Amino acid sequence: MRTLTLLAPAKINLSLDVVGRRSDGYHLLRTVMQSVSLCDRVTVREEAPGTGIRLECSDGSLPTDCRNTAYRAAQGFLAAARRDPSRDAPGLSIRIGKAIPAEAGLAGGSSDAAAVLTGLSRLYPGEVPLRRIPELAVAVGADVPFCLFGGTALCEGIGEIVTPLPPLTGHPLLLLNPGFGIPTPAAFRTFDDQAEPRHPDTEAVCDAVRRRDLSALARTARNVLEPIALAAHPRLADALDWLMARGAPLVRMSGSGPTLFALFPDTEDGLRMREDAAAAAEAEARFRGFAVLRARTRESGPTLEA
Ligand code: C5P
């Protein structure tokens, strides 16, 4: 039976604006997303026909049925391939080794789904036209189309209109996750109740990315969901202040939160890296219960494990 293992990278939002709302309640976004090197490991294995989809996950608190985005991605692929699950569809077992925290604003679930779609497209080439894969992706979740491509991109619509930007690769990142989740629907609901937000200048953010100008990026990028999360969680606001004091050019909350990130210049300078390691150790001591993760910006979405 054939098996593929993929690395499914997390993403951060360098900037996130809400510019409207669809009649179905989904919010229209203008957001610049960036893949990062923190990856889940997704193994897709072909099983005997008619045995259905079986999902296993290293994090026992996550659902392993159709509430899981990876499961729905596999269902969507088999349906698009016109395979009947009780007859000629291959059985599939999917194993997810989680490294990306859940409900963290890092698109962990979306990236797992994107990895499943990428893996199945390779295991069953030609069964679903490649141009249909982004459609299957957005049916699973708004961030899944970006996660298919990865790198650096402007995402519009509900997130599914993905315009690639020149990759902002190799920047060291410090990620701070407070150990609790913020469900995305709740974050957007609170956003709807708040006063008019201060919008980022998304064109200027894209320009800054094209010029790799981190100070311009820091001046222009915002996340309109960030003030809501900071107001609700004072320790998160303290952690953000602490990150800002590290001197990173860009410090923000990612997506609907609560994970915070600091993006450093892409120097290979050993001293800088030691400073980053020291910062991670200090953060762990200072913010009990927070996970401190070191990563780098990355140029691609899911890739086959080497
Ligand atoms: O598509 P996804 O499953 O990631 O979205 C989860 C929920 O987050 C949606 O049901 C919706 O409440 C909210 N959402 C939104 N606008 C977006 C993305 C997500 O309102 N662009």
Side-chain angles (χ1 to χ4, degrees):
M1 291 295 181
R2 296 174 305 156
T3 301
L4 277 183
T5 296
L6 297 106
L7 296 176
K11 62 84 180 149
I12 52 173
N13 300 74
L14 299 176
S15 186
L16 189 158
D17 197 11
V18 176
V19 295
R21 216 171 142 198
R22 283 197 330 199
S23 52
D24 63 0
Y26 265 91
H27 292 72
L28 297 170
L29 308 179
R30 294 198 85 206
T31 177
V32 176
M33 301 226 229
Q34 172 66 56
S35 299
V36 309
S37 61
L38 174 69
C39 289
D40 286 347
R41 199 164 170 268
V42 178
T43 301
V44 183
R45 186 178 143 92
E46 184 181 55
E47 303 286 355
T51 53
I53 301 167
R54 217 184 63 231
L55 182 65
E56 260 181 78
C57 185
S58 62
D59 177 345
S61 69
L62 297 177
T64 52
D65 54 18
C66 64
R67 289 168 296 167
N68 191 301
T69 50
Y71 190 103
R72 289 207 304 279
Q75 273 184 322
F77 185 93
L78 293 179
R82 298 182 188 282
R83 299 283 207 123
D84 177 348
S86 62
R87 231 166 23 90
D88 64 338
L92 294 173
S93 59
I94 302 169
R95 205 192 127 63
I96 304 177
K98 289 301 289 181
I100 308 171
E103 293 192 331
L106 297 174
S110 299
S111 191
D112 296 343
V116 167
L117 291 173
T118 305
L120 292 177
S121 307
R122 281 181 174 256
L123 280 179
Y124 305 102
E127 294 225 12
V128 177
L130 281 180
R131 66 183 159 72
R132 284 215 55 208
I133 300 292
E135 260 172 59
L136 299 180
V138 72
V140 175
D143 287 344
V144 185
F146 167 77
C147 292
L148 275 178
F149 301 108
T152 313
L154 169 66
C155 300
E156 297 170 288
I158 62 167
E160 86 286 19
I161 306 169
V162 181
T163 308
L165 290 166
L168 201 66
T169 314
H171 289 273
L173 290 163
L174 200 57
L175 303 171
L176 246 60
N177 177 271
F180 59 83
I182 296 185
T184 310
F188 279 108
R189 264 198 311 276
T190 322
F191 174 84
D192 291 336
D193 296 338
Q194 73 157 20
E196 187 56 20
R198 276 185 65 197
H199 294 281
D201 180 347
T202 305
E203 286 312 318
V205 170
C206 294
D207 269 351
V209 168
R210 285 187 197 102
R211 289 185 280 111
R212 296 185 71 102
D213 181 342
L214 294 195
S215 18
L217 184 59
R219 275 198 308 278
T220 51
R222 298 189 143 268
N223 177 347
V224 293
L225 302 177
E226 185 180 295
I228 303 165
L230 297 183
H233 305 286
R235 284 191 78 220
L236 202 59
D238 288 348
L240 188 96
D241 288 344
W242 179 86
L243 272 179
M244 292 217 178
R246 309 308 312 167
L250 182 66
V251 177
R252 287 276 171 277
M253 184 180 83
S254 182
S256 53
T259 307
L260 309 174
F261 68 86
L263 180 100
F264 294 91
D266 63 344
T267 166
E268 288 301 332
D269 175 324
L271 178 63
R272 160 77 59 196
M273 291 313 290
R274 277 205 300 281
E275 282 171 0
D276 292 349
E282 191 188 326
E284 261 158 11
R286 222 181 159 102
F287 300 105
R288 288 278 158 80
F290 278 55
V292 182
L293 305 162
R294 293 170 66 208
R296 279 184 175 267
T297 54
R298 156 182 167 125
E299 198 169 327
S300 64
T303 44
L304 288 179
E305 190 179 56

